[in-house]
Amino acid sequence: MEAIMSRSVVLFTPQLTQVRGMATLKDIRLRLKSVTNIQKITKSMKMVSAAKYARAERELRPARSYGAGAKAFFESTELEQDKTQPNQMMVVMSSDRGLCGGVHSGICRELRNKMNENKGSVETKLVVVGDKARGILQRTFRENFLLSFNEYGRKPPVFADAALVANAILDVDYKFDVASLYYNTFRVTELPLFSQEHLAKAEKITTYDSIDEDVLRCYNEYALASLIYFAMKEGACSEQSSRMTAMDAASKNAGEMIEKLQMTYNRTRQAVITRELIEIISGAAAL
Amino acid sequence: MAGLLKNGIRAATLARQCSRLAVSQQRSYSEMSFTFASPANVYYTAANVKQVDVPSFSGSFGILPNHVPSLAVLKPGVVTVFEEDGSNKKFFVSSGSISINEDSSVQVLAEEAHPLENLDAQAVREGISKATQEVNAAASEKAKAEAQIALECYEALQKALEN
């Protein structure tokens, strides 16, 4: 009686562990396959974004000189922003696509800090380019949205995109006193934008000859489009490079996981075989 | 002996400082930091050129170093750059802005800018006939204005190629 009891106990436990062991084996195999697939995806994404980064950087070089030229006038007239003024507008450049490290969340964090600083005194409106930033900011700042743009980020930016954004900003006719453009250049950069009235009031503008209101307006509109273009190009470049690093890190992590899973898989397989052997031997002995 | 050396050194430093002063005077007289770029290409970055002729809505004018600060808007036409060695280069620009700052730096930012050699005469002729048709067939004021702008641009292109 006791022998039977003891035998049944001995038979019982290995079977339980064996069942559990086999289920774990299948689980591990499944997990291994899925992690390997994901590693293939992240590796290919890294290579694609490396190619896109090379192209974006190549296009950025003339865009940098162009942007420097557009900024030169504003720097030379030494226009300054008075941040305590009531109506503010912030233009945010991000993109539609994710999996690029911290670029979108970084720029939204910076923006959130700025908005929280100004909360009581100033009214800030947001112009957001890119779905990612819109998604992040919509949760807390829905009432502050003025315009948002999407379908942006799949193809490299061209001047026509910037002109579209600039035209929309001018058309919406929000009278702002202070405006800034936020974009990424491996860290969040802020570029001041100026309205036409602000330009006309600047003291150094009188040194400029033969300017009438029409010329000033045309100049300002074109400068707005140029600065937005410059910010778009810089943002695209830094997004691609951030994606490259992120995907590279992801591939490495996936590789480590695969190694560990492989180890566990081998050990589990060996354990299962050993248990089966023990089972059979002890079963034979019982007979 | 030490006194002689010190005087010698001082004289040398003074001479160097004077020459730097003379050079800087000369530089501010004849230097113009010229930047000419479009979103796609940059042709000159803070380059030193002798003169630049630009077509603007307030008339074509030439910019020499130490020009009075000004702003202008580009009209479709030819920008001619006279370089330091005497040669000149011509580019066709579609639109954009010109700014001349106090420190005699000039920025010409064009939406589209191409060297004249890249222009195709045949395409320009076809463009003119098509644009003329569109002006005549235009339905609304806005469409007519847009067609008119296109026609003016093509005519400027043709004039640029003829010269």
Side-chain angles (χ1 to χ4, degrees):
Chain A
M1 178 70 161
E2 262 158 50
I4 299 171
M5 289 282 290
S6 63
R7 212 185 314 140
S8 62
V9 165
V10 162
L11 271 177
F12 197 55
T13 357
Q15 205 164 33
L16 245 185
T17 28
Q18 188 185 30
V19 165
R20 206 180 21 200
M22 280 194 75
T24 318
L25 208 62
K26 210 191 296 180
D27 277 346
I28 297 178
R29 206 183 311 138
L30 216 59
R31 200 136 183 251
L32 206 56
K33 217 190 297 177
S34 83
V35 174
T36 319
N37 282 340
I38 291 189
Q39 193 195 35
K40 284 195 202 129
I41 294 174
T42 55
K43 268 197 184 146
S44 68
M45 277 188 79
K46 173 182 141 197
M47 278 196 245
V48 165
S49 62
K52 287 193 177 166
Y53 172 68
R55 180 180 172 181
E57 219 202 340
R58 220 181 24 226
E59 291 179 358
L60 182 60
R61 241 173 288 130
R64 274 223 175 104
S65 312
Y66 189 75
K71 280 193 269 185
F73 169 69
F74 297 106
E75 286 170 359
S76 152
T77 52
E78 289 168 13
L79 279 172
E80 286 201 357
Q81 282 189 322
D82 183 7
K83 291 265 170 151
T84 56
Q85 297 238 330
N87 294 322
Q88 294 200 11
M89 183 175 80
M90 298 188 173
V91 186
V92 182
M93 316 292 312
S94 76
S95 94
D96 281 359
R97 312 190 114 192
L99 290 179
C100 47
V103 286
H104 302 312
S105 46
I107 206 171
C108 292
R109 197 179 338 133
E110 180 80 20
L111 209 70
R112 205 178 313 137
N113 291 341
K114 285 275 162 68
M115 302 255 310
N116 286 333
E117 267 175 27
N118 301 345
K119 209 167 227 190
S121 49
V122 296
E123 185 199 322
T124 322
K125 289 286 184 191
L126 296 173
V127 174
V128 182
V129 178
D131 272 338
K132 283 283 163 203
R134 182 169 64 116
I136 298 177
L137 291 169
Q138 225 173 20
R139 264 180 264 128
T140 32
F141 298 119
R142 193 176 301 210
E143 317 82 48
N144 300 60
F145 266 62
L146 188 61
L147 292 168
S148 83
F149 297 87
N150 60 358
E151 285 299 314
Y152 171 70
R154 215 177 327 145
K155 286 193 285 215
V158 268
F159 193 75
D161 297 334
L164 188 75
V165 176
N167 275 334
I169 292 181
L170 293 162
D171 282 341
V172 86
D173 215 14
Y174 172 65
K175 286 280 171 247
F176 57 91
D177 300 316
V178 184
S180 305
L181 178 62
Y182 287 88
Y183 61 101
N184 271 305
T185 53
F186 306 108
R187 54 183 185 82
V188 182
T189 315
E190 177 188 346
L191 194 60
L193 301 173
F194 300 97
S195 69
Q196 191 190 341
E197 297 84 33
H198 197 173
L199 267 186
K201 273 189 285 183
E203 26 179 273
K204 278 209 173 181
I205 203 80
T206 48
T207 60
Y208 284 79
D209 181 39
S210 73
I211 294 188
D212 57 6
E213 191 186 307
D214 213 20
V215 170
L216 205 60
R217 187 169 56 91
C218 288
Y219 185 82
N220 202 29
E221 290 177 359
Y222 189 69
L224 182 67
S226 308
L227 289 172
I228 290 179
Y229 174 75
F230 171 63
M232 278 182 172
K233 277 286 190 223
E234 285 267 8
C237 197
S238 56
E239 180 194 323
Q240 292 300 347
S241 100
S242 182
R243 185 170 291 130
M244 215 166 58
T245 351
M247 290 295 106
D248 189 32
S251 307
K252 277 207 192 78
N253 290 343
E256 281 175 20
M257 277 179 82
I258 286 174
E259 274 183 38
K260 258 189 267 173
L261 279 172
Q262 195 68 45
M263 278 283 134
T264 323
Y265 181 77
N266 286 337
R267 254 185 251 125
T268 317
R269 190 176 52 88
Q270 288 166 346
V272 165
I273 291 174
T274 317
R275 279 196 200 102
E276 277 189 33
L277 277 171
I278 292 178
E279 224 182 275
I280 292 169
I281 291 170
S282 56
L287 283 173
Chain B
M1 178 70 161
L4 210 67
L5 207 60
K6 225 192 313 177
N7 277 339
I9 293 175
R10 190 140 55 95
T13 343
L14 278 175
R16 199 177 27 239
Q17 280 176 346
C18 286
S19 68
R20 214 181 318 148
L21 216 56
V23 163
S24 65
Q25 257 184 343
Q26 188 185 46
R27 274 156 62 99
S28 70
Y29 193 84
S30 66
E31 181 165 285
M32 169 167 73
S33 162
F34 177 54
T35 308
F36 177 31
S38 76
N41 310 309
V42 61
Y43 295 107
Y44 295 90
T45 324
N48 209 356
V49 297
K50 280 203 293 201
Q51 185 185 335
V52 185
D53 286 340
V54 291
S56 86
F57 274 111
S58 37
S60 294
F61 59 100
I63 307 174
L64 289 150
N66 284 347
H67 193 283
V68 57
S70 179
L71 291 180
V73 178
L74 281 177
K75 198 166 69 158
V78 178
V79 166
T80 318
V81 182
F82 295 92
E83 295 182 352
E84 289 233 299
D85 56 2
S87 64
N88 63 347
K89 293 215 170 71
K90 294 188 196 249
F91 304 90
F92 186 82
V93 297
S94 69
S95 47
S97 66
I98 310 163
S99 59
I100 311 168
N101 299 321
E102 266 189 335
D103 55 357
S104 192
S105 62
V106 179
Q107 291 87 25
V108 176
L109 301 172
E111 197 164 336
E112 295 272 347
H114 301 276
L116 279 188
E117 303 86 56
N118 296 6
L119 296 176
D120 176 12
Q122 177 63 21
V124 172
R125 273 195 293 270
E126 289 172 1
I128 285 191
S129 53
K130 199 160 70 103
T132 334
Q133 276 177 349
E134 280 183 10
V135 169
N136 296 335
S140 65
E141 276 298 318
K142 187 164 165 220
K144 193 165 186 135
E146 287 177 0
Q148 190 68 32
I149 293 174
L151 184 61
E152 282 172 14
C153 193
Y154 277 115
E155 285 177 347
L157 272 164
Q158 190 169 55
K159 199 154 64 115
L161 282 175
E162 279 166 11
N163 292 347

